[in-house]
């Protein structure tokens, strides 16, 4: 009887101790960031996989493709805003100046949105253009006169064409409401920019269809 009583008391004490330990562990120890789930496919073709898998957030699942899209929206603003300001200063055609102003207006607002989305979803954002984007800005810096206007138009139109396809993929596939709202805004902005760039009359559509990048 004594042995049974001792064993029973030991089990009760152990259970109470485990309960006390659980209560003393801070909730924050379990992590306040979105929880990682099993990683699935990266998503749209061409998306960069950051290796973070799919995360659970208050706004829905956040995939690697979603995060790649958010970063690319930020990158677009980092080179298209300077390009727009430059077009305002150096463009001789009114249509070039108009396109430049649309770039400024569109990406100022889109940049504001993407920073908010990045902060809300815990996505780290780039702070400078990619090497390719810096090269495009360099090409435009070196060009003069009509050569500059044609290069500006072609580079920006080619870039927007690629982004437009990505926006459509993300808008159709994402399950995250914040990413979906950002994609909706980006869709409107990119389509507007494509339109004003084409209104310049300087777009070489044959080069676009053949995926030819302007070089200087």
């Amino acid at each position: 009887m004594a042995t049974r009583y001792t064993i029973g008391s030991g089990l009760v004490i152990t259970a109470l101790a485990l309960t006390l330990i659980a209560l003393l562990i801070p909730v924050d120890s379990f992590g306040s960031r979105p929880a990682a789930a099993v990683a699935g496919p990266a998503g749209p073709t061409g998306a960069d996989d950051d290796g973070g898998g799919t995360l659970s957030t208050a706004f829905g699942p956040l995939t690697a493709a979603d995060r790649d899209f958010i970063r690319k929206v930020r990158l677009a603003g980092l080179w298209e805003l300077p390009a727009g300001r430059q077009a305002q200063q150096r463009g001789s055609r009114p249509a070039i100046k108009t396109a430049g102003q649309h770039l400024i207006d569109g990406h100022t607002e889109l940049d504001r949105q993407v920073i908010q989305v990045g902060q809300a979803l815990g996505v780290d954002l780039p702070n400078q253009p990619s090497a390719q984007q810096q090269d495009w800005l360099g090409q435009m810096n070196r060009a003069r006169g009509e050569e500059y206007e044609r290069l500006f138009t072609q580079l920006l139109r080619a870039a927007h064409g690629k982004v437009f396809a990505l926006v459509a993929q993300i808008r159709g596939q994402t399950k995250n409401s914040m990413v979906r709202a950002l994609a909706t805004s980006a869709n409107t902005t990119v389509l507007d920019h494509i339109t004003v760039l084409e209104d310049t009359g300087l777009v070489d559509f044959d080069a676009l269809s053949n995926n030819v990048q302007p070089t200087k």
Side-chain angles (χ1 to χ4, degrees):
M1 291 294 292
T3 302
R4 291 180 180 177
Y5 176 79
T6 302
I7 293 173
S9 298
L11 291 173
V12 170
I13 292 171
T14 300
L16 289 173
L18 290 174
T19 301
L20 180 61
I21 291 171
L23 290 173
L24 290 175
I25 297 176
V27 175
D28 288 345
S29 298
F30 294 100
S32 57
R33 288 181 172 270
V38 178
T45 303
D48 294 328
D49 189 346
D50 58 11
T54 299
L55 304 177
S56 175
T57 79
F59 306 95
L62 183 71
T63 67
D66 291 333
R67 293 191 295 277
D68 178 63
F69 169 70
I70 293 168
R71 294 183 182 115
K72 283 179 177 174
V73 171
R74 170 66 170 166
L75 278 171
L78 289 174
W79 85 280
E80 291 179 31
L81 272 168
R85 296 187 189 105
Q86 186 183 70
Q88 283 277 289
Q89 297 169 358
R90 297 181 56 188
S92 60
R93 289 177 171 87
I96 293 293
K97 292 183 178 293
T98 296
Q101 188 60 54
H102 278 243
L103 290 177
I104 294 170
D105 294 342
H107 281 288
T108 296
E109 175 58 22
L110 206 54
D111 205 48
R112 181 191 65 78
Q113 292 181 39
V114 77
I115 289 173
Q116 289 182 341
V117 170
Q119 291 174 342
L121 297 177
V123 178
D124 57 304
L125 300 177
N127 291 314
Q128 63 179 9
S130 69
Q132 184 181 51
Q133 291 167 339
Q134 291 179 41
D135 178 65
W136 291 338
L137 289 170
Q139 290 182 44
M140 289 190 289
N141 285 335
R142 294 188 295 272
R144 295 292 181 269
E146 184 172 340
E147 177 192 21
Y148 162 76
E149 294 186 335
R150 291 186 179 279
L151 187 61
F152 163 83
T153 303
Q154 197 69 12
L155 282 171
L156 269 297
R157 175 59 181 81
H160 279 80
K162 291 182 178 180
V163 171
F164 198 44
L166 174 62
V167 171
Q169 285 182 305
I170 293 295
R171 181 63 182 80
Q173 295 179 13
T174 187
K175 297 178 181 179
N176 187 285
S177 61
M178 288 201 79
V179 175
R180 191 178 306 116
L182 179 64
T184 298
S185 295
N187 182 75
T188 301
T189 301
V190 172
L191 182 57
D192 172 71
H193 293 174
I194 286 175
T195 301
V196 293
L197 288 164
E198 291 175 351
D199 285 346
T200 64
L202 299 177
V203 176
D204 183 345
F205 289 97
D206 289 335
L208 289 178
S209 62
N210 293 326
N211 198 30
V212 177
Q213 290 290 340
T215 56
K216 173 61 180 175

